[in-house]
């Protein structure tokens, strides 16, 4: 009989590039877009990408933990930062960091736009930990930097989904980090599944309206509040 | 936007990966297929030790139960146990989950239901301030309140899930439900 496992850390995982690549891909959905687009003349991006591209300001853009190289052809002055060393194997230009504090240590306060889209490394924690991540990101932002941040409600930990109004919970979080991280909330889009029975009396089994980019979306401006976000 | 030589087509967000059914097998490879998820062993033990003979299994992710195929039936009406590991039902609204349980119990009096805690109340339509503060206990109490005609036994282990418990291979909250 096989030994039983309950948690990732119960036994050591396989150590190989294949393993690292597989795990990286499982958590970076938009890597698939890069695989698709790099060999084609017509590239596919989604409407959330368009929303970001339409609202970027000129200057330096950082994409962290979101397979940002898929945006290389449409964002000039792009810095892609990841936490998985395997990324260097297929995208040598990536900056690889271990801790988020290194983003500012390496780059200084240089970014005019900072993007995090459904980064699995940011979630699977309480919102208080997400706040700590964001506190590290702002250290690399110029005043006026636009900060695009999105994630999924289903992968935020330690809240009672049966006692807490989801929409209020996440909106309050946006308002909270305005104060603690010197950000100004310019725009938000917080959506949950709408369930209605179909003609056969069943509900659909889908999760939230955007599992790829996340159903909780914010745009902040660092320090100032001068920009208008168009959606 | 940069002036790429390629044309750009914008589409609505769509599912980029379609590996849901093989998710457990992918995670098994993290450990070179050497280990077995404890919750799967729990399901197998429950079926065998309680001497169920005809199990109707509703699954999405292939969980590769190591039980004789003769133990399973595709006909829910001849089953003595309905086993639900399909986490799509966890994405039903709370009301829909309860209705679905009642439907299953109408066809077969005994149900082993696995729910993914992270999907519960997916549509933000069920808020009950009288439930316990602990979310795991709250799920159990919500089921018990919603199905007073049933005996509901919580077979789950309680732990904080920080995404490292294979929850998408096999949902984490396990309930045995039967009509009183």
């Amino acid at each position: 009989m096989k030994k039983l496992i309950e948690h990732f850390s119960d036994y050591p995982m396989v150590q190989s590039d294949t393993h690292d690549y597989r795990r990286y891909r499982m958590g970076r959905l938009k890597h698939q877009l890069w695989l698709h687009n790099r060999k084609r003349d017509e590239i596919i991006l989604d409407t959330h990408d368009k929303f970001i591209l339409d609202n970027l300001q000129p200057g330096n853009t950082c994409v962290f933990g979101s397979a940002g190289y898929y945006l290389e052809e449409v964002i000039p002055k792009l810095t892609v930062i990841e936490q998985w060393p395997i990324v260097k194997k297929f995208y040598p230009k990536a900056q690889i960091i271990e801790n988020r504090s290194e983003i500012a240590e390496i780059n200084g306060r240089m970014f005019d736009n900072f993007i995090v889209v459904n980064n699995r490394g940011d979630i699977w924690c309480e919102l208080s930990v997400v706040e700590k991540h964001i506190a590290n990101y702002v250290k690399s932002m110029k005043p006026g930097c636009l900060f695009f941040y999105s994630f999924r409600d289903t992968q935020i930990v330690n809240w009672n989904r049966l006692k807490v109004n989801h929409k209020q919970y996440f909106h309050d979080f946006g308002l909270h980090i305005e104060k603690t991280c010197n950000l100004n909330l310019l725009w938000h889009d917080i959506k949950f599944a709408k369930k209605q029975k179909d003609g056969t009396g069943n509900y659909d089994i889908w999760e939230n309206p955007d599992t790829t980019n996340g159903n909780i979306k914010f745009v902040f401006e660092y320090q100032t509040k001068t920009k208008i976000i168009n959606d | 936007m940069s002036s790429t030589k390629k044309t750009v087509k914008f589409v609505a967000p769509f599912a980029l990966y379609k590996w849901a059914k093989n998710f457990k097998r992918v995670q098994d490879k993290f450990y070179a297929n050497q280990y077995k998820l404890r919750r799967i062993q729990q399901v197998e033990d429950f079926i065998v030790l309680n001497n169920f003979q005809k199990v109707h299994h509703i699954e999405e992710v292939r969980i590769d139960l190591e039980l004789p195929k003769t133990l399973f039936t595709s006909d829910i009406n001849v089953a003595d146990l309905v086993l639900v590991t399909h986490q799509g039902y966890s994405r039903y609204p709370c009301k829909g989950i309860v209705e679905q349980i009642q439907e299953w119990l109408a066809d077969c009096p005994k149900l082993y239901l696995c729910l993914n805690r992270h999907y519960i109340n997916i549509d933000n339509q069920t808020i009950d301030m009288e439930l316990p503060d602990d979310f795991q206990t709250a799920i159990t109490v919500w089921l018990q309140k919603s199905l007073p005609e049933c005996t509901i036994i919580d077979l789950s282990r309680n732990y904080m899930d920080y995404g490292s418990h294979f929850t998408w291979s096999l949902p984490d909250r396990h309930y045995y439900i039967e009509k009183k």
Side-chain angles (χ1 to χ4, degrees):
Chain A
M1 186 173 138
K2 286 180 179 173
K3 288 183 179 174
L4 302 181
I5 191 166
E6 182 94 41
H7 186 274
F8 277 13
S9 63
D10 286 349
Y11 298 102
M13 289 188 187
V14 169
Q15 290 192 325
S16 69
D17 284 351
T18 304
H19 168 80
D20 290 347
Y21 180 64
R22 186 179 288 135
R23 288 200 67 201
Y24 173 80
R25 275 193 67 179
M26 290 175 80
R28 299 294 182 286
L29 300 180
K30 292 225 163 156
H31 180 75
Q32 186 68 21
L33 279 185
W34 178 73
L35 290 172
H36 177 276
N37 289 340
R38 65 191 174 138
K39 293 177 181 173
R40 288 174 170 80
D41 290 331
E42 181 185 72
I43 63 175
I44 290 177
L45 298 174
D46 70 31
T47 48
H48 184 60
D49 298 321
K50 184 174 190 307
F51 166 77
I52 292 173
L53 294 172
D54 287 347
N55 285 289
L56 284 181
Q57 55 187 344
N60 300 313
T61 298
C62 175
V63 183
F64 174 66
S66 313
Y69 38 84
Y70 81 98
L71 293 168
E72 184 174 42
E73 293 180 280
V74 292
I75 298 181
K77 297 182 181 176
L78 176 69
T79 302
V80 174
I81 306 179
E82 293 286 343
Q83 291 182 291
W84 287 74
I86 191 69
V87 177
K88 274 279 189 193
K89 300 258 180 176
F90 54 83
Y91 187 75
K93 284 189 276 183
Q95 279 184 21
I96 305 299
I97 60 162
E98 194 169 334
N99 300 308
R100 288 168 180 78
S101 59
E102 295 167 47
I103 299 173
E105 289 165 13
I106 294 169
N107 297 286
R109 198 174 278 286
M110 72 167 282
F111 296 116
D112 301 281
N113 305 289
F114 199 104
I115 303 167
V116 182
V117 177
N118 198 15
N119 173 17
R120 294 292 171 90
D122 269 25
I123 44 187
W124 287 121
C125 59
E126 292 89 348
L127 283 179
S128 58
V129 179
V130 176
E131 181 184 352
K132 288 176 184 168
H133 296 335
I134 292 172
N136 274 312
Y137 304 149
V138 299
K139 291 175 186 167
S140 69
M141 296 179 190
K142 289 180 185 171
C145 176
L146 288 176
F147 177 37
F148 299 84
Y149 195 73
S150 60
F151 58 97
R152 289 162 72 177
D153 70 298
T154 51
Q155 294 171 356
I156 294 296
V157 169
N158 203 11
W159 62 296
N160 192 327
R161 299 180 61 91
L162 287 164
K163 292 190 77 170
V164 174
N165 182 303
H166 305 7
K167 197 160 190 170
Q168 190 71 49
Y169 184 65
F170 290 104
H171 187 240
D172 285 350
F173 173 70
L175 298 177
H176 173 72
I177 61 167
E178 273 195 313
K179 295 174 190 159
T180 59
C181 296
N182 202 3
L183 293 163
N184 289 297
L185 182 58
L186 302 181
W187 177 93
H188 67 276
D189 182 24
I190 301 172
K191 287 196 177 104
F192 297 92
K194 289 181 179 170
K195 299 284 181 173
Q196 287 184 323
K197 284 184 177 176
D198 62 19
T200 60
N202 295 312
Y203 294 97
D204 72 69
I205 58 167
W206 307 119
E207 188 190 318
N208 65 50
D210 189 352
T211 53
T212 301
N213 299 293
N215 57 320
I216 317 292
K217 299 185 176 87
F218 297 113
V219 182
F220 299 94
E221 183 176 329
Y222 178 56
Q223 285 193 354
T224 53
K225 192 170 187 177
T226 60
K227 317 287 191 311
I228 294 171
I229 298 300
N230 300 304
D231 61 358
Chain B
M1 193 189 298
S2 168
S3 56
T4 177
K5 289 178 183 174
K6 295 184 176 183
T7 55
V8 182
K9 181 181 177 185
F10 293 104
V11 299
F14 60 100
L16 289 166
Y17 291 131
K18 296 176 180 172
W19 55 18
K21 288 184 179 176
N22 289 317
F23 195 83
K24 173 193 162 287
R25 292 175 182 175
V26 173
Q27 289 201 319
D28 283 348
K29 288 180 183 171
F30 292 178
Y31 302 90
N33 300 306
Q34 289 186 57
Y35 306 106
K36 182 174 183 177
L37 185 55
R38 185 201 60 78
R39 293 194 299 277
I40 291 178
Q41 185 66 48
Q42 175 177 319
V43 172
E44 291 175 358
D45 288 348
F46 183 86
I47 291 168
V48 172
L49 297 173
N50 288 290
N51 201 28
F52 287 106
Q53 299 296 315
K54 288 290 175 189
V55 178
H56 180 70
H57 185 192
I58 301 171
E59 74 174 337
E60 176 192 34
V61 177
R62 297 182 181 98
I63 61 168
D64 303 316
L65 290 172
E66 294 176 309
L67 294 171
K69 285 184 179 175
T70 52
L71 213 54
F72 294 92
T73 175
S74 59
D75 184 354
I76 191 171
N77 291 302
V78 301
D80 55 8
L81 179 73
V82 179
L83 167 64
V84 181
T85 60
H86 192 314
Q87 55 195 316
Y89 294 102
S90 305
R91 296 189 289 261
Y92 270 24
C94 288
K95 183 182 168 207
I97 293 172
V98 171
E99 288 172 355
Q100 185 61 61
I101 290 170
Q102 289 166 330
E103 273 187 42
W104 283 319
L105 291 175
D107 293 330
C108 174
K110 295 176 179 175
L111 170 67
Y112 190 111
L113 174 64
C114 303
L115 293 173
N116 181 330
R117 76 174 80 170
H118 302 286
Y119 289 140
I120 297 299
N121 195 17
I122 192 76
D123 60 350
N124 189 28
Q125 294 299 306
T126 301
I127 304 293
D128 182 350
M129 297 309 292
E130 293 180 358
L131 292 174
D133 289 337
D134 174 73
F135 180 43
Q136 297 167 92
T137 313
I139 296 170
T140 305
V141 174
W142 157 67
L143 279 173
Q144 289 168 338
K145 279 179 76 173
S146 304
L147 293 159
E149 72 278 19
C150 297
T151 300
I152 298 174
I153 301 172
D154 185 354
L155 301 170
S156 323
R157 273 194 184 171
N158 288 339
Y159 51 81
M160 290 298 300
D161 184 2
Y162 289 96
S164 304
H165 282 86
F166 306 96
T167 305
W168 270 258
S169 284
L170 179 64
D172 57 309
R173 305 304 299 174
H174 289 211
Y175 295 99
Y176 175 67
I177 304 175
E178 64 177 28
K179 285 184 180 173
K180 285 178 180 169

